[in-house]
Amino acid sequence: MAQYNFQYPFGLAAQEQPLWLNFWSATYSLKNYERTRAGVVNRAFAHIRLPMPREPGYLVAHEYGESNNNPVGPVLSRAGLANSGGGAGGALNLLKRTLQPATFYWERAFATTTFRRFSNIAEYTMVSEGRKKYFFQYAFTPKNEAETIQIENIVGTFRKSSYPTVASGLPERSYPQNLWTLQVTSGNGRAFGGENNLSANWLGEPLVCVLETIKVQKNDESDPVIRFLPNGASSLTLIGLVFTEFETGTYDFGNNSLLSKSEISTKYFGSSS
């Protein structure tokens, strides 16, 4: 159980929420099983539960670049032999195809038509898998003093947990950034696709993340007057959160799901404490 547990709203308003978005935060670790989504939840020091934002979504952009690899071209390899027809005839075809670029200038001396060779830069190759980015925005409007305290606890936990943690016994040093797991759970609504598929359906299987950006605004910018509650708290708190995946993912065909590098390591090579 996390040391810090906060939820908004609570009471009757909580019973009206069809879906919840859970934010779990745990300290950084070098152990593969502690860097997985389950590992972060199991050792989380903070758990924040909020309604699903108004516009849930995500962005994933893989990085691509040109490659010199052209496996279907004149390449002296088993693939090149197979792509040239295979067998003895394929070997002869492959040899001819390999020599053709060298005879290009000789051919031009006798050609009556103009032509050019295929470029050998044939593939648009993935350089790095994309890291999904998530942006969530909430507007908190407390109705009483208990809600103002809860809101300040939530905002403060996000803010503080976005920073590195002090390394105990090591002055002027800190551990790397904290890790986050995002998880969608059902409230009073029906779990479309099953409870275990809610995070995949709504957020595209979010892997372990880091909290990259947090923006807090204590008043509506369209209101020329800042408004207070009787206890001195703001009547409106706006918060924006940007999460970015900590590790890139890979599609696990057998499991039909995305796994992070640490999750693949844990699944196929095990772990030790």
Side-chain angles (χ1 to χ4, degrees):
M1 179 116 178
Q3 181 178 356
Y4 303 107
N5 287 276
F6 303 112
Q7 174 184 302
Y8 182 86
F10 46 84
L12 293 177
Q15 300 176 17
E16 300 173 354
Q17 303 303 320
L19 293 172
W20 293 94
L21 181 52
N22 298 266
F23 302 86
W24 304 84
S25 184
T27 55
Y28 181 89
S29 176
L30 292 174
K31 298 176 181 177
N32 57 3
Y33 66 96
E34 291 186 345
R35 297 154 61 102
T36 65
R37 283 166 283 189
V40 171
V41 172
N42 291 336
R43 60 187 190 87
F45 64 81
H47 175 209
I48 299 173
R49 195 168 180 240
L50 298 175
M52 280 290 287
R54 185 170 60 88
E55 297 179 355
Y58 56 90
L59 170 69
V60 54
H62 301 294
E63 184 180 351
Y64 281 81
E66 285 190 339
S67 167
N68 290 326
N69 185 29
N70 182 11
V72 298
V75 182
L76 290 173
S77 64
R78 290 189 65 181
L81 178 60
N83 292 330
S84 299
L92 182 59
N93 290 334
L94 177 58
L95 183 60
K96 290 179 179 178
R97 295 177 68 198
T98 305
L99 294 175
Q100 278 178 352
T103 63
F104 176 58
Y105 291 98
W106 176 77
E107 289 174 346
R108 287 198 307 175
F110 300 95
T112 56
T113 57
T114 300
F115 62 91
R116 67 186 296 270
R117 294 290 175 188
F118 289 147
S119 169
N120 202 40
I121 301 177
E123 291 187 348
Y124 196 43
T125 301
M126 181 178 288
V127 176
S128 174
E129 308 94 328
R131 302 173 192 267
K132 292 192 290 296
K133 255 186 193 305
Y134 299 91
F135 174 69
F136 306 115
Q137 189 168 10
Y138 289 96
F140 298 131
T141 54
K143 306 296 188 299
N144 51 53
E145 184 171 3
E147 290 192 2
T148 62
I149 296 174
Q150 191 80 330
I151 290 170
E152 290 304 323
N153 285 332
I154 290 171
V155 173
T157 300
F158 276 126
R159 172 174 54 83
K160 297 168 189 175
S161 300
S162 69
Y163 285 85
T165 303
V166 173
S168 58
L170 297 173
E172 298 183 351
R173 297 186 185 182
S174 64
Y175 296 115
Q177 69 283 339
N178 294 316
L179 305 179
W180 294 78
T181 288
L182 312 179
Q183 186 181 59
V184 181
T185 55
S186 61
N188 66 1
R190 177 173 173 267
F192 168 70
E195 187 77 24
N196 294 334
N197 291 322
L198 283 176
S199 297
N201 293 338
W202 284 95
L203 300 177
E205 296 179 274
L207 305 177
V208 171
C209 295
V210 295
L211 179 50
E212 185 177 348
T213 304
I214 173 172
K215 179 180 179 181
V216 178
Q217 193 171 329
K218 289 291 187 177
N219 191 47
D220 189 346
E221 60 185 11
S222 63
D223 192 338
V225 179
I226 186 168
R227 304 187 184 278
F228 300 91
L229 295 176
N231 65 351
S234 173
S235 63
L236 173 65
T237 298
L238 302 173
I239 183 172
L241 306 165
V242 176
F243 288 90
T244 303
E245 286 182 329
F246 170 59
E247 294 179 316
T248 56
T250 303
Y251 175 52
D252 184 12
F253 183 80
N255 202 40
N256 192 28
S257 64
L258 294 179
L259 298 178
S260 69
K261 299 297 186 289
S262 291
E263 289 169 336
I264 291 173
S265 173
T266 302
K267 177 179 178 181
Y268 290 99
F269 301 105
S271 61
S272 63
S273 56

